[in-house]
Amino acid sequence: MKKAQRAETESRSRSSRDQAVPLDDIDQEIVRILQVDGRTNNSEIARRLGVTETTVRKRLSALISGNYIEVVAVPSPFLAGMNISAILGIKTTLHHVRKIASAVSERSEVRYCGIATGRSNLIVEAFFKDHDHLLRFVADFLGQIEGVVEVETSLILKIEKYSSDWMVEEGPQ
């Protein structure tokens, strides 16, 4: 490995969570390879990229510690017994929107919670075991939170695509 590459790799491995370091071509390729198959080992990644396994290991460590990527297994909600999928539009008082978003985000049923503009202040995707579970979430949990004004619930009848496999785009970051 060239001295400049080695210095850059060492610098990346020392970077803290709070320092944003732009991803170079090698980092982006590591991410792309893992997006296709998260079980690809460091030796195989190194072979494909023409770098050493140590380079891959250090860069992967820096990507994880820098919060650029997470390496996780993502089970389907159905594996966890969550048979009902719903999108909830929650209208709140503006004064309470962040507090409500935080409380909703902590619930295990919630996969996504975003503060939004439009009719609803929060857009939530959540999964439930059955209709009673959904009712308890809406009436007993959301209904008791100060600042929740209205909840519009849309049941998802059939999931056509459930994925977290979007790809990192090519080019400068």
Side-chain angles (χ1 to χ4, degrees):
M1 179 189 311
K2 296 178 186 174
K3 278 187 174 183
Q5 284 179 317
R6 185 173 296 126
E8 184 177 334
T9 298
E10 290 171 5
S11 169
R12 286 178 187 285
S13 65
R14 287 190 303 264
S15 68
S16 73
R17 283 179 183 254
D18 300 329
Q19 293 175 317
V21 177
L23 300 184
D24 66 10
D25 292 343
I26 293 174
D27 291 329
Q28 289 180 24
E29 284 303 314
I30 290 170
V31 172
R32 280 191 205 96
I33 290 168
L34 291 173
Q35 283 183 291
V36 172
D37 182 359
R39 297 174 296 177
T40 307
N41 65 44
N42 292 353
S43 298
E44 175 62 17
I45 295 170
R47 185 191 65 73
R48 290 186 200 177
L49 299 180
V51 297
T52 67
E53 184 178 358
T54 301
T55 297
V56 172
R57 187 177 67 253
K58 286 181 177 181
R59 284 175 175 253
L60 188 53
S61 177
L63 288 166
I64 293 168
S65 66
N67 289 328
Y68 290 99
I69 64 170
E70 292 180 43
V71 180
V72 297
V74 182
S76 76
F78 305 106
L79 181 64
M82 303 300 225
N83 300 307
I84 295 177
S85 174
I87 303 294
L88 295 96
I90 304 171
K91 186 175 183 179
T92 71
T93 57
L94 292 178
H95 178 72
H96 293 101
V97 69
R98 290 176 195 231
K99 177 186 73 129
I100 296 167
S102 179
V104 168
S105 295
E106 291 180 14
R107 293 293 297 240
S108 63
E109 299 93 342
V110 174
R111 170 120 174 106
Y112 172 87
C113 177
I115 297 175
T117 61
R119 268 187 6 206
S120 301
N121 303 105
L122 298 176
I123 304 296
V124 174
E125 177 189 21
F127 293 90
F128 304 94
K129 293 179 181 175
D130 52 35
H131 289 109
D132 190 54
H133 184 191
L134 171 58
L135 176 61
R136 286 191 316 271
F137 183 85
V138 172
D140 300 340
F141 172 65
L142 293 176
Q144 301 302 315
I145 298 176
E146 181 183 0
V148 171
V149 175
E150 184 179 314
V151 178
E152 181 179 344
T153 304
S154 298
L155 292 180
I156 305 303
L157 301 176
K158 181 176 187 262
I159 297 174
E160 290 292 328
K161 180 178 180 180
Y162 179 80
S163 176
S164 58
D165 62 352
W166 52 274
M167 298 300 286
V168 172
E169 292 185 21
E170 304 241 3
Q173 294 293 319

